[in-house]
Amino acid sequence: MATPAEVAERRATVRQLAQGGASNRQIAAQLGISKDTVARDIAHWNAPPATPAERRARHLARADEAVRQASAAAQAVAAARPAYTLANDETARRWCAELRAAADQLAAAAAAFADYYPAATS
């Protein structure tokens, strides 16, 4: 998956080539991307900037998906029962450290949420 910087650089190149008269097919072939990606990049270039409400809606959707993924991951770990799985000491230490770090991050996120939405979390 491309980083945001790589996407921005690609979009700038697509824009430059399109302004130079290259077709979507030519741009795709030159950059090694699909014609659909070229079309999306051009559409992004022509799209009006997102409104604050649209940005909030996108952020809400990303946050909702992240919470769903975290919940699913916690359920998968609970179902796998790693504490009852035969593992060597090095693996057990690594699993314990990773689970504690993830738990600390989730606890901090939950605390911040509770601070911001006290009525919803009491």
Side-chain angles (χ1 to χ4, degrees):
M1 185 176 209
T3 66
E6 292 168 336
V7 171
E9 183 177 331
R10 185 194 69 228
R11 285 181 174 160
T13 304
V14 166
R15 181 177 185 169
Q16 182 181 26
L17 292 170
Q19 287 175 332
S23 70
N24 287 10
R25 181 171 290 177
Q26 291 169 326
I27 296 169
Q30 184 173 340
L31 299 180
I33 58 178
S34 73
K35 292 183 300 182
D36 291 338
T37 300
V38 173
R40 276 193 305 275
D41 287 350
I42 290 172
H44 181 270
W45 159 39
N46 292 325
T51 66
E54 291 168 335
R55 287 193 303 274
R56 281 192 302 275
R58 279 197 307 266
H59 188 245
L60 177 66
R62 283 193 308 268
D64 188 56
E65 181 60 23
V67 169
R68 287 177 195 272
Q69 288 177 3
S71 296
Q75 290 170 2
V77 169
R81 301 181 65 192
Y84 303 102
T85 301
L86 292 178
N88 60 36
D89 287 347
E90 180 181 331
T91 300
R93 276 192 289 279
R94 181 174 51 83
W95 285 354
C96 185
E98 289 175 7
L99 288 170
R100 283 188 173 148
D104 289 346
Q105 290 175 338
L106 290 171
F113 190 82
D115 287 345
Y116 200 74
Y117 295 101
T121 57
S122 56

